[in-house]
Every structure is written in C-alpha cells, then in structure tokens.
Amino acid sequence: MSESERLHDEAALAFLRLHRMWGKLQARDVGSLGRLMSQNEISRGWVLQIVDEGVGTSEGEVTVGALAEGLDVDPSVASRMVSSAIRDGHLARGVSQVDGRRSVLRITHSGYVLLHRFRRQPRAVFETVTKDWPPGQRDEFAKLFTRYVDEMARIRGDRRDTGPAD
C-alpha cells in the first residue's frame, strides 16, 4: 500500500470517528463551549438553517415540503418539526409573496437567536480542537475542509449557504 493510499484510508476512518464523536460531544470535552445545545435544539437548529438558506425554492421561500426535502425527511416529519418550532416561537407561518395560496416559513427573532447558537457551536469546537495548531495549518485545514464539504454538497445537488455562518 502506498503512503497516499494509507493516508486516504486514515482520512476515511477519521471521518467515521468524527461523526461518532460529534454526536457524543460533551461540555467537559470542550471547555470553551459553555452549555452545549440539547439534541432537540440541534434538530431545531437544522430546521432553522434550512429555512434561512431558502433551500428547495428559487424564490427563497421555504414551505414545509421544501424543508422536508432539505432535511431528507418525510413531509409528515417535517410538518411535526415545524409545528413544534412554531409552538416554541422559533418559526412563524406567512403568506407567500409569489403565490398567495402558499404558506411559507419565516424565522422569528427567537429563532435567529437559536440559529446563531447553532452556528457558533461548531466554530467553538474548531477553535478549541485546533488551538495549539500553527495559524497557517488552521487556515489550510479550514480551506480544505470547506472545499471537501462544498464538493459533497455539489455531488448531492444541495444548495450552499452563501451567507456568513456567523
């Protein structure tokens, strides 16, 4: 096995380990994070992320159907997620400006607060994990990892959020 093949195998296994560890991340593991988001908040964060990106529609108006598509879930599951988010004050239903018969989803102020936390948590993990890396290596890893994820999204046909991930 060549050195390149060995490195590629290690990278593939590292992605599997990363996926498993991310789900089990605890506040004690990453001290700078403070209180980590609950699983419910993370699920809600994904809903808000998809709505904010405007995934599934050329007009940027997200319906429950577009949300289901963006989350890769059944429309009935997406509908329950939306009902819960509306009940908790993170989403509101509005009337489409393109088609007045259609109901669209809008993020509330409370929803944007949660979305900000959702987007900050991975950044805090990145900062903590790479804090002892030379700045050039941190930057290069960030560029390559972003490129990797963008390429995965392109292959899947997903739309990429072009806005800042504050």
Side-chain angles (χ1 to χ4, degrees):
M1 176 183 291
S2 72
E3 178 66 9
S4 179
E5 289 172 322
R6 185 187 66 72
L7 285 172
H8 295 183
D9 283 348
E10 286 180 13
L13 291 175
F15 277 110
L16 292 174
R17 289 176 45 225
L18 176 64
H19 179 73
R20 183 182 42 125
M21 286 187 291
W22 188 262
K24 296 179 179 186
L25 187 68
Q26 300 294 316
R28 65 176 157 62
D29 297 326
V30 188
S32 69
L33 291 178
R35 185 181 76 78
L36 291 179
M37 297 179 79
S38 69
Q39 194 58 47
N40 186 42
E41 289 172 317
I42 291 170
S43 294
R44 180 71 48 78
W46 280 115
V47 168
L48 298 170
Q49 179 69 26
I50 296 297
V51 172
D52 192 53
E53 288 178 358
V55 170
T57 174
S58 60
E59 301 90 17
E61 295 184 334
V62 178
T63 62
V64 173
L67 177 67
E69 184 179 317
L71 291 172
D72 292 324
V73 299
D74 188 76
S76 64
V77 172
S79 182
R80 286 192 298 275
M81 295 171 90
V82 166
S83 293
S84 176
I86 289 170
R87 184 182 58 247
D88 293 345
H90 296 122
L91 281 179
R93 287 190 196 272
V95 177
S96 168
Q97 300 303 303
V98 176
D99 179 352
R101 300 168 295 174
R102 193 168 56 177
S103 180
V104 295
L105 304 172
R106 307 233 189 280
I107 302 174
T108 64
H109 174 73
S110 170
Y112 277 111
V113 170
L114 182 60
L115 181 59
H116 178 73
R117 282 188 58 224
F118 177 73
R119 290 175 173 169
R120 289 297 305 157
Q121 186 165 310
R123 172 64 184 262
V125 170
F126 176 83
E127 295 296 332
T128 300
V129 170
T130 63
K131 73 180 184 300
D132 294 330
W133 294 17
Q137 285 184 357
R138 292 174 83 189
D139 293 348
E140 186 64 18
F141 177 76
K143 287 177 195 172
L144 291 173
F145 190 68
T146 300
R147 180 178 171 194
Y148 181 88
V149 172
D150 286 347
E151 185 62 17
M152 286 181 68
R154 187 193 64 76
I155 289 167
R156 287 195 57 215
D158 289 354
R159 289 177 47 186
R160 185 178 186 280
D161 176 18
T162 56
D166 43 26

